[in-house]
Amino acid sequence: MEQLRWGIAIAVTGINSIKDIRCRRIYTWLTIGAALAGLFCVCVEWTGASTELLTGVLIGFAVLFLAWVTREAIGYGDGMVLLTLGILLGGSNCFAVAMAAIIASGIWALGLIVFFHKNRKYEIPFIPFLFGGLIWVRCITWL
């Protein structure tokens, strides 16, 4: 069941990465469907690890709250994808993916500022970095 949850997470994040790069939007219904599939998987394999699910969901809600507070400097789509990843992967894996994505996007933004003379207001899509972080964390946990 864990492989299924990782597969769903990779597929949804990958598809939403392409949409985020092209249009700065996500497939909302696909993301909601993946979250519901994750809840179904959690219910089927219930092991009593509710704190892992709760912390994963809290990470997603925290990003959604930041999107609201910053008037979408961080997009609602980013929060929805992180909420889905929290349901599918649990809190520790979702936190690791988010941290990897934040570090990678920070390095990318620094490169844009230094080499391409972009300013701080230049917007970059975040979900591709979540996808990269997801692949990275999966490779690390596979070892």
Side-chain angles (χ1 to χ4, degrees):
M1 195 64 73
E2 180 183 0
Q3 300 296 332
L4 177 64
R5 289 186 287 120
W6 276 97
I8 293 170
I10 289 170
V12 166
T13 309
I15 292 168
N16 278 327
S17 292
I18 295 168
K19 180 80 169 184
D20 194 22
I21 290 169
R22 290 183 180 169
C23 309
R24 302 288 196 264
R25 302 184 63 79
I26 65 165
Y27 292 106
T28 307
W29 290 107
L30 176 69
T31 308
I32 291 170
L36 292 175
L39 286 174
F40 177 75
C41 290
V42 167
C43 290
V44 167
E45 66 173 4
W46 183 256
T47 59
S50 59
T51 56
E52 191 68 19
L53 175 66
L54 181 63
T55 54
V57 170
L58 285 176
I59 291 169
F61 279 129
V63 174
L64 285 171
F65 178 73
L66 284 174
W68 178 69
V69 167
T70 62
R71 293 189 178 99
E72 279 197 273
I74 301 169
Y76 286 115
D78 301 331
M80 286 181 60
V81 170
L82 269 170
L83 179 63
T84 301
L85 290 178
I87 292 170
L88 287 166
L89 307 178
S92 58
N93 286 326
C94 182
F95 184 75
V97 168
M99 288 297 103
I102 289 169
I103 290 168
S105 66
I107 292 169
W108 182 262
L110 183 63
L112 287 174
I113 290 170
V114 171
F115 296 113
F116 296 100
H117 307 290
K118 302 292 182 184
N119 63 13
R120 292 179 4 166
K121 300 289 183 180
Y122 185 77
E123 294 181 7
I124 58 173
F126 185 65
I127 295 175
F129 295 103
L130 283 175
F131 181 66
L134 184 63
I135 298 299
W136 177 257
V137 170
R138 184 60 187 154
C139 289
I140 295 298
T141 58
W142 225 359
L143 298 176

